[in-house]
Amino acid sequence: MGRRVLAVTALAVVLALGMWTVGVVRGDDSREVTAGPVPSELSMRPEPAEPAEPSKPSKPPVREYVPLVTAVAPSGRYFVDQHGRPLLVRGDSPWSLMTDLSADQARRYFADRQSRGVNAMIVSVLGSVGNGGPSDDGATHDGVRPFRDGGITDWNPAYWRRMHAYVRMAQQHGITLVLYPVDSWVVDSGLVPTEVGACRAYGRKVGEFFADLPNIMWSVGGDYLPDRASESGTEVDRCLDAVLDGIRRSGDTRPRTIQVSGGQPMASSDDPFWRHRISFNFAYTYSPTYRLVRRARAADPARPVVFGEGNYERENLQGNQPTTPETLRRQTAWALTSGAVADFYGSDDWEFRSGWQDRLHAPGLADVGHVRDVVEGLPWWTWEPDTEGDFITSGRGQAITEDDGTTDVLDSDLATAALAPDGSSGLVYVPTARTFTIDDSRLAGSVRAAWVDPSTGSRRSVPVRATYRTPGANADGDGDWLLELTSR
C-alpha cells in the first residue's frame, strides 16, 4: 500500500501463491499496539464439535434510524441509504482495526469518529503485517486466528464471532464499512487458497455470514498492481474476483470494487480486467486529486467515484513536503468538486501505533470535516463538475497535465467547481489567493453566495457577481477558500 512507504521510493514485492504473482507495495512494518482486554462476550469459547460454523452475537434492540450505504443510485453517480436517499460518504481508513483493537478500544474509536461526522471506514477482515495487523497469519492482537487446519473455509468460530461483533458495533455508530474480505497483503499469508474454487467458496461463506448486517460495502486488492499481460487477468485477479463472485452467489448485491495501485494515480476502472466487474470506482492518488477523479467519473458506465486514498495525516509519500491540514483540505475539496461522492481521510495511525488514543483529535480530520459539512448541506448529488472551464471563465490557475504520482498536492493552484444543471446550487474551491470570474448567467436568480473558511467552517455572505477576489488568509493562515452557491 503506497502510504506505507514513508519518504522512500515504493518497491514492488512479489507474493507467491503457488505460481501466482502480483506486485505489492509494502513499507514500514514497525508497529506497537497497546491492547486492552477482550470482553467476555467476544472472548474465545470452547469450539463445538458440530456444527463448525461460527455463531453470531444476538441482534441488539432496534435503534433510531441512521443512514448507511446500501446501494448505488439508478443514475450510477452516487450512493443511497436504506430509504433511497443520497448519502455523501465521509470516510476514515483504520485498516487494521478489526485485528489490532480490543472491543473496548474499537468501541471508543467508532464513537470518536461518529462524533466527527465520519460515516464510513476502510478495514481489512484478515490481519497481516502489511495491512497493519499484528502478524502474517491473520491473527488478532491476542492471538486468535481466522482459520483452523482445514483451509480457508475451515473457520475458527471465535475469530469470526469477533469480526461479526465489530461490524455490528460499527452499525450501531452509523458507520458503513468498506470491508476487505481479502487484500493484497494477506494473500499467501493469512489466506492461502489452493485453487480458485476455494476462493469462491470462501467468498460465499463470507457473504452468508455477514448477510444480516446492513453496513457493508465490499472491496478487494489494496496496493495491488498486477503484472498485466492481457484482459484475462492473473491467477490472483481470478482469485480476488472469485471471492467477490462467491459473495454475490450468497445473494449479496451490495456495492463492490477493487483498489488497484502501484504508487501512481490509478482508479479501478483503469484496470482492463476489473473495469466491468466493479460497481463503484476507487481512486488512488497522492497528487492533486482533481485529475484522477475527473478521469474516473468519465469512465463508462457511470459509477460512483470514491476518492479512496491520498496523503495521510502525518505521512507524505512525495517526501519533499509534509502533509499539512491544507494538503488534506485540498485533496477532499478538489475531489468533491470534480465528481467524487465519497472521500476517505487517513492518518499514520492506520496501523494503531503506540499512543494512537492521544492522536484521535487530529487537526486534519477537523478541517476535512468542514469541507464535507459544506458539501453535505447542499444538493451535491445533482452537481456536474466544471471540467471544461465553462463556469470558472478566468483565473482558474494551472491544471497538471501529466501525472506520474510525483506532483505534490501543494504544487497545483487549480480552482475547481461543481454546479447543478439548473443553476440552483454549486461550490467553487479556490486553493490560493486570486481574482477570478464565473459565468453568473448560469446561476438561478434565487442563488446566494458566501465565502466559507475551510479551516473553520465559518461563513461570510457576499453579493452574487461575475468577479470575485478571495478574502485574504483563512484562519490557518493559508489562501484556500470555498465559495458556496445556494438557493436555500
Side-chain angles (χ1 to χ4, degrees):
M1 187 171 300
R3 65 179 173 283
R4 288 167 170 71
V5 183
L6 308 183
V8 296
T9 301
L11 300 176
V13 177
V14 176
L15 292 180
L17 179 56
M19 295 299 291
W20 303 7
T21 59
V22 55
V24 177
V25 178
R26 292 183 189 268
D28 186 88
D29 287 342
S30 62
R31 62 176 300 283
E32 182 180 355
V33 175
T34 303
V38 178
S40 59
E41 72 269 19
L42 300 181
S43 61
M44 289 198 60
R45 301 175 182 144
E47 297 177 6
E50 293 293 338
E53 298 300 313
S55 58
K56 304 171 185 176
S58 59
K59 189 173 182 178
V62 175
R63 298 173 180 267
E64 63 177 298
Y65 161 73
V66 291
L68 300 165
V69 176
T70 59
V72 172
S75 68
R77 288 299 185 195
Y78 54 90
F79 299 107
V80 296
D81 69 9
Q82 53 269 53
H83 291 301
R85 300 167 182 161
L87 181 61
L88 184 73
V89 175
R90 305 167 52 130
D92 184 24
S93 308
W95 283 85
S96 60
L97 180 149
M98 306 285 276
T99 53
D100 268 342
L101 300 191
S102 70
D104 283 343
Q105 291 172 326
R107 189 174 293 108
R108 176 181 178 181
Y109 193 89
F110 287 137
D112 177 88
R113 290 313 195 233
Q114 181 186 29
S115 73
R116 300 173 196 282
V118 168
N119 62 13
M121 291 182 184
I122 290 174
V123 294
S124 290
V125 77
L126 301 173
S128 75
V129 172
N131 67 25
S135 63
D136 276 334
D137 61 0
T140 62
H141 65 93
D142 53 348
V144 184
R145 298 177 63 182
F147 307 114
R148 299 185 292 194
D149 296 332
I152 62 175
T153 57
D154 184 14
W155 285 9
N156 176 358
Y159 184 95
W160 293 94
R161 282 197 300 268
R162 186 179 302 185
M163 297 302 105
H164 192 277
Y166 281 19
V167 178
R168 175 79 73 193
M169 195 184 300
Q171 177 198 353
Q172 293 167 348
H173 288 89
I175 293 171
T176 300
L177 297 181
V178 180
L179 195 63
Y180 284 62
V182 55
D183 63 39
S184 302
W185 303 278
V186 304
V187 174
D188 204 33
S189 56
L191 183 135
V192 187
T194 55
E195 43 85 28
V196 171
C199 301
R200 182 169 290 105
Y202 167 72
R204 182 158 192 158
K205 192 163 185 174
V206 167
E208 291 170 348
F209 186 66
F210 291 107
D212 62 318
L213 297 173
N215 58 318
I216 293 174
M217 301 160 68
W218 300 106
S219 186
V220 294
D223 285 347
Y224 169 71
L225 185 64
D227 183 10
R228 179 80 64 226
S230 71
E231 294 187 9
S232 61
T234 65
E235 291 285 356
V236 172
D237 283 317
R238 288 190 283 276
C239 177
L240 298 179
D241 182 48
V243 171
L244 291 179
D245 182 57
I247 292 172
R248 287 193 298 271
R249 293 187 185 201
S250 74
D252 192 302
T253 60
R254 291 180 280 197
R256 61 192 180 277
T257 196
I258 185 170
Q259 179 189 347
V260 288
S261 55
Q264 294 187 351
M266 195 167 182
S268 313
S269 59
D270 292 335
D271 187 289
F273 178 82
W274 288 97
R275 187 171 297 144
H276 301 293
R277 289 173 160 85
I278 58 172
S279 52
F280 66 97
N281 210 345
F282 189 113
Y284 167 108
T285 179
Y286 289 83
S287 296
T289 52
Y290 55 80
R291 181 176 173 84
L292 180 60
V293 168
R294 288 174 175 179
R295 186 172 82 218
R297 192 179 191 277
D300 186 35
R303 303 180 186 90
V305 177
V306 173
F307 167 50
E309 183 173 330
N311 293 285
Y312 277 17
E313 190 152 20
R314 300 183 298 273
E315 286 188 6
N316 187 301
L317 295 191
Q318 311 300 353
N320 57 349
Q321 299 188 63
T323 297
T324 66
E326 183 184 10
T327 301
L328 298 168
R329 293 195 302 267
R330 286 192 182 199
Q331 290 183 158
T332 293
W334 272 330
L336 295 178
T337 53
S338 297
V341 294
D343 78 287
F344 281 81
Y345 159 92
S347 80
D348 66 351
D349 282 318
W350 53 265
E351 55 183 342
F352 294 95
R353 296 178 184 273
S354 177
W356 62 267
Q357 297 95 328
D358 299 326
R359 295 186 291 272
L360 286 172
H361 302 281
L365 179 58
D367 282 21
V368 167
H370 298 317
V371 176
R372 293 168 170 176
D373 288 345
V374 173
V375 175
E376 192 170 38
L378 299 169
W380 51 267
W381 61 94
T382 67
W383 291 351
E384 297 285 342
D386 178 36
T387 56
E388 303 300 324
D390 297 329
F391 182 62
I392 304 177
T393 55
S394 69
R396 297 179 75 213
Q398 294 297 314
I400 57 172
T401 56
E402 300 292 335
D403 193 0
D404 60 2
T406 61
T407 303
D408 190 90
V409 170
L410 297 180
D411 289 338
S412 178
D413 69 349
L414 184 72
T416 54
L419 188 69
D422 64 0
S424 61
S425 71
L427 188 67
V428 180
Y429 179 61
V430 189
T432 58
R434 74 191 66 188
T435 298
F436 65 97
T437 60
I438 64 170
D439 180 0
D440 59 346
S441 69
R442 296 184 59 189
L443 298 176
S446 58
V447 163
R448 292 172 291 175
W451 284 114
V452 182
D453 182 342
S455 68
T456 63
S458 63
R459 283 175 173 77
R460 59 180 80 173
S461 296
V462 292
V464 176
R465 54 169 68 102
T467 301
Y468 291 88
R469 175 72 186 172
T470 52
N474 60 35
D476 268 4
D478 301 314
D480 60 319
W481 287 86
L482 293 161
L483 180 64
E484 179 188 68
L485 302 165
T486 178
S487 56
R488 58 181 171 79

